[in-house]
Amino acid sequence: MGGDLLFRDDITLISQRIYTGDGEPFEGFVRISAGKIVAVEKSHLGARVPDGVPEAAESASRSALSDAPPGCTSPDAPPGPVTILDVGDNMVIPGLIDLHVHGSGGNSALGGAGALEGMARVLALHGVTAFQPTLGAAPLDEMEAAITAASEYVSFQCTGGSEALGLHLEGPFLSSLFPGAMAKEHVIVTDVSLLSRWVELAGGSISRMTLAPELPGALQMIRYLLELGISASMGHTAATYEEAAQGFRAGINIVTHTFNAMRGFHHREPGALGAALVQKGVFRELIADGIHVHPAAMSMLVTSCGVDSVVLVSDAMPATGLPPGQYEFLGRRVTLGTDGKVTLEDGTLAGSSVFLLDCLRNMVEIVGVPFAGALRMATVNPAKALGLFDRKGSLAPGKDADVVVLSDDYEVLGCWAKGKEVKNVFRERGGRRDESRIL
């Protein structure tokens, strides 16, 4: 994609169904300019051009873009033409935000800048406009190299694909009783000096860490993370109810893939899961691929904790989007079956093979959550969980122009990430979907 991506200075999307992320849909338009949303208005537009959109705009020369990196816009670039897209009854929604994704399209978050760029492009084509590259526990030298390479990418990314919101370190300070797909030998006790080294190497690009709160020194580490502005999450944990509660009191605000890789619920010892279900003011990740968690358990989570606290995540592994077969993940051989299940040789689940959009669809079609509520779990809630709701997560003036056009069949028809066009079938196809007008 790179240099083929378009950054149009002014785009107006007209739709009969606009979901801002908050509330029910309405007919109207969304206008974006210079990478930001500048207007979201209700109106029975029909074929009328919205007020404030010029009747004519000169197609100025784009020569100033020639010196800009691929997918970027030069600060000196002249304004582009005004584009109006009437998408009919297709939905206009905020771009999705995936806070837990290990890879996609054959690209791994552990694979360095090139792989992260590949991830960003693939994810954007599937409606994800922001994501947290997630690094699972690996040999320490490999993790250090991956952190260094990934931090450089996060600091200087300019691809026009999905935006990396900082690194999510899923380990290595986890319980050896619940390693998930990670090798037990790569799971270690807390080490603040090691974390400090990684923080220094990352140069501010680490935004979240998952750890087990019952480990010796974990509470101190949680407080240290918060001092650095890094979100602390609970996951891969054998914590008792009280140990998990202590972690929440220390500052944990996100539960990593609720239900999975944690001590389960018992009525005399509610465990980490019980603490996660009753704790107020925290966000709970949910892998809604239809494999990791039974639909009844997904429904229970939403019913007991509320739509506002659930964060849909894909937990996608690098082979997501590729055919069934044998692949490598976290240094281990995994099998992607024809049923979409990804497993180690012993049958242990090893991430998922779905995109976040698939999880959104499952919440609606399998669990029965209304679309507006499910959408909130993939947009508003993850933005709030990371403290980024002032610029992401909903369609509102002043926010980043992360906008997706979605069909009733959950096909991404258009995607703009911070105003950069990633996909737009309305220019590529005939019929109604070829109605974009350069004014």
Side-chain angles (χ1 to χ4, degrees):
M1 285 157 41
D4 294 330
L5 291 166
L6 299 178
F7 187 105
R8 297 185 181 278
D9 246 6
D10 201 315
I11 303 170
T12 297
L13 293 166
I14 302 173
S15 172
Q16 296 171 25
R17 289 185 295 166
I18 296 175
Y19 286 87
T20 64
D22 251 337
E24 296 303 311
F26 57 84
E27 182 179 2
F29 67 89
V30 176
R31 184 177 175 185
I32 64 180
S33 182
K36 295 289 184 180
I37 297 171
V38 296
V40 179
E41 296 188 20
K42 298 180 181 180
S43 176
H44 296 290
L45 295 167
R48 183 177 65 81
V49 176
D51 293 337
V53 176
E55 291 298 323
E58 180 181 358
S59 296
S61 167
R62 305 293 287 173
S63 61
L65 289 173
S66 59
D67 295 330
C72 300
T73 299
S74 165
D76 301 320
V82 176
T83 302
I84 297 177
L85 298 176
D86 184 349
V87 304
D89 64 353
N90 292 299
M91 295 174 280
V92 173
I93 65 173
L96 308 184
I97 303 173
D98 196 343
L99 299 189
H100 194 146
V101 54
H102 294 275
S104 61
N107 304 289
S108 170
L110 286 165
L116 287 170
E117 183 174 359
M119 280 181 66
R121 293 173 175 178
V122 172
L123 292 173
L125 291 173
H126 290 84
V128 175
T129 55
F131 71 110
Q132 277 195 309
T134 301
L135 309 183
L140 296 183
D141 58 340
E142 292 183 18
M143 285 200 72
E144 189 163 299
I147 289 170
T148 302
S151 65
E152 292 175 357
Y153 173 81
V154 171
S155 299
F156 300 105
Q157 61 184 315
C158 193
T159 67
S162 185
E163 179 186 358
L165 300 175
L167 304 180
H168 171 199
L169 302 186
E170 189 181 11
F173 312 124
L174 308 171
S175 170
S176 61
L177 298 176
F178 292 92
M182 292 176 267
K184 285 187 178 181
E185 60 265 28
H186 300 153
V187 171
I188 62 175
V189 298
T190 55
D191 186 335
V192 174
S193 63
L194 177 61
L195 176 59
S196 297
R197 172 173 170 76
W198 287 353
V199 168
E200 183 177 354
L201 285 173
S205 64
I206 298 173
S207 55
R208 180 158 73 113
M209 184 171 215
T210 292
L211 74 167
E214 75 276 14
L215 296 179
L219 300 182
Q220 175 190 357
M221 181 170 284
I222 292 168
R223 297 185 185 102
Y224 176 62
L225 289 168
L226 297 186
E227 290 175 3
L228 297 172
I230 299 172
S231 176
S233 298
M234 177 181 76
H236 292 272
T237 174
T240 63
Y241 178 87
E242 182 53 37
E243 288 170 333
Q246 289 178 354
F248 288 126
R249 288 194 291 268
I252 286 174
N253 78 314
I254 301 175
V255 180
T256 297
H257 44 51
T258 308
F259 297 108
N260 300 114
M262 64 176 56
R263 183 192 289 264
F265 180 87
H266 188 279
H267 58 282
R268 285 190 293 272
E269 171 43 68
L273 177 58
L277 293 177
V278 301
Q279 180 67 35
K280 297 185 183 301
V282 302
F283 292 92
R284 300 152 179 95
E285 283 189 1
L286 177 63
I287 307 172
D289 63 347
I291 295 172
H292 277 78
V293 182
H294 191 281
M298 291 193 278
S299 179
M300 181 185 75
L301 180 66
V302 175
T303 301
S304 62
C305 299
V307 168
D308 291 345
S309 77
V310 177
V311 173
L312 297 181
V313 295
S314 69
D315 196 21
M317 49 82 72
T320 298
L322 301 184
Q326 300 286 320
Y327 296 96
E328 183 178 299
F329 177 41
L330 297 174
R332 313 183 78 180
R333 175 173 292 185
V334 299
T335 299
L336 171 56
T338 55
D339 58 357
K341 185 183 293 186
V342 186
T343 58
L344 299 177
E345 293 179 350
D346 65 0
T348 301
L349 290 177
S352 86
S353 64
V354 301
F355 292 98
L356 188 58
L357 187 58
D358 299 310
C359 297
L360 170 61
R361 182 173 192 164
N362 287 341
M363 292 303 290
V364 175
E365 298 185 351
I366 298 177
V367 183
V369 176
F371 181 84
L375 178 65
R376 185 179 184 87
M377 298 178 199
T379 55
V380 173
N381 295 354
K384 288 185 174 181
L386 282 190
L388 299 176
F389 192 60
D390 60 329
R391 68 182 183 92
K392 291 193 178 290
S394 68
L395 302 180
K399 292 195 173 187
D400 291 343
D402 296 337
V403 185
V404 170
V405 179
L406 193 66
S407 75
D408 284 334
D409 294 327
Y410 292 85
E411 179 188 0
V412 175
L413 305 176
C415 179
W416 289 263
K418 298 184 76 170
K420 294 171 186 173
E421 182 181 296
V422 178
K423 184 176 184 179
N424 181 1
V425 304
F426 299 91
R427 289 191 300 103
E428 299 164 1
R429 299 180 180 178
R432 181 172 180 78
R433 291 178 180 174
D434 197 27
E435 292 183 359
S436 63
R437 306 190 295 280
I438 305 297
L439 297 183

